[in-house]
Amino acid sequence: MSEGKIWIVAIVVAALALGGLLYYSYHREQYLTSPQLTVPGANVSGAIANPRQHYPIEHVRGAPAAAASAPLPALNDDAAIIHALTALPGGAGLRALLRPQALIQHAVATINALPDRSLGSDVLPVHHAKGDFQVSTSAGVTTPSLANDTRYAPYMRVIEAIPTPALVAWYVHFYPLFQQAYQQLGYPHGYFNDRLIVVIDNLLATPDRATLPALVQGKNGMWDYADPALQSLSIGQRTLLRMGAADSATIKAKLRAIRADLSGKSLPGS
């Protein structure tokens, strides 16, 4: 993991929002692959490309029937897509964070890759965080610095501000574009909402920690986790681990609420 951080704001949380909001905190790691958009990489942590359960978008809990009749923009009409997303309650802060090029395609590619070990650096639908990734060293142990919270703040504000029902309604309305982008990614018979549930479950399986994990200098001066078990986790899980406990809990709570609506049922403890 390099010192420069990229953000995953949880697009799973806004599907670009699921695909764009969960990108809250993607750290530019040493495992970043060369730039690419069509990369169905190897899955880890039990994530599968063709999940056993099917979650029809028509069955999403609370989906507004009226939205189905509203016209959709073309997949490449980024201006219209961003306008609709930033028009959500609390969504105004998204405009400054988004990269307005192939937004949904990049969101889908990033979400799809989160349970994998790597992620192409140019598929992120949001801008890199400003400043450098900071670390702290005490008693010979290096950890992510709490000073990084300042860099996370714009992304966290958006995640907390957009109500889950409005976010899910936006995703349901724009779902045909997500499905189109997923099929173009290399899954002509896949169903994006099924994959999204798999991705959310992978993120929710990230170990909870009361303290920030120790880091060690890796290849090319980049930061790895000192614990090999943590370093072997998916790119999405490794990202969540770098956040403080409070921010990680906020992200997980948002993901549980989104999953409950998308699947029609709540997880234990939700």
Side-chain angles (χ1 to χ4, degrees):
M1 306 175 191
S2 74
E3 297 181 0
K5 261 190 188 171
I6 302 175
W7 300 79
I8 292 176
V9 185
I11 216 174
V12 161
V13 176
L16 151 111
L18 292 246
L21 281 182
L22 208 193
Y23 291 161
Y24 153 59
S25 172
Y26 170 55
H27 313 285
R28 191 183 185 90
E29 304 191 16
Q30 70 174 24
Y31 289 109
L32 279 177
T33 61
S34 58
Q36 51 191 333
L37 180 60
T38 305
V39 195
N43 296 307
V44 298
S45 303
I48 51 177
N50 298 303
R52 297 176 183 176
Q53 271 190 289
H54 179 47
Y55 300 94
I57 198 68
E58 297 81 9
H59 296 174
V60 170
R61 190 165 66 190
S69 60
L72 281 175
L75 179 60
N76 293 320
D77 190 350
D78 291 304
I81 293 168
I82 290 175
H83 176 76
L85 184 57
T86 57
L88 292 174
L94 262 177
R95 186 175 296 276
L97 306 180
L98 297 174
R99 297 171 60 187
Q101 297 93 24
L103 189 66
I104 286 185
Q105 296 97 315
H106 286 165
V108 167
T110 303
I111 292 175
N112 183 61
L114 290 180
D116 300 342
R117 289 296 307 277
S118 62
L119 175 65
S121 61
D122 73 337
V123 303
L124 295 174
V126 294
H127 292 296
H128 298 189
K130 296 181 179 179
D132 295 327
F133 175 61
Q134 303 293 319
V135 299
S136 298
T137 301
S138 178
V141 178
T142 300
T143 61
S145 173
L146 294 178
N148 290 308
D149 289 355
T150 300
R151 303 174 67 230
Y152 306 165
Y155 303 86
M156 288 305 300
R157 282 196 292 268
V158 171
I159 291 172
E160 294 172 335
I162 299 180
T164 298
L167 183 61
V168 171
W170 178 89
Y171 170 64
V172 171
H173 176 53
F174 280 83
Y175 183 76
L177 301 186
F178 285 91
Q179 179 63 22
Q180 180 182 348
Y182 188 54
Q183 291 176 330
Q184 291 178 359
L185 185 64
Y187 302 96
H189 305 296
Y191 195 71
F192 179 71
N193 199 53
D194 294 346
R195 178 60 176 171
L196 180 58
I197 297 293
V198 168
V199 172
I200 291 176
D201 287 346
N202 179 262
L203 292 166
L204 291 177
T206 304
D208 291 320
R209 295 177 55 89
T211 59
L212 290 168
L215 303 174
V216 294
Q217 205 81 46
K219 299 177 181 179
N220 302 321
M222 299 174 182
W223 293 105
D224 292 343
Y225 290 116
D227 184 345
L230 299 183
Q231 187 62 26
S232 68
L233 295 175
S234 71
I235 186 67
Q237 292 172 331
R238 296 201 305 274
T239 294
L240 279 177
L241 280 174
R242 284 212 171 187
M243 302 177 191
D247 285 350
S248 179
T250 297
I251 292 292
K252 284 188 172 184
K254 189 77 168 183
L255 291 174
R256 288 190 185 95
I258 290 171
R259 189 196 191 282
D261 283 351
L262 294 182
S263 67
K265 57 184 178 182
S266 300
L267 290 171
S270 298

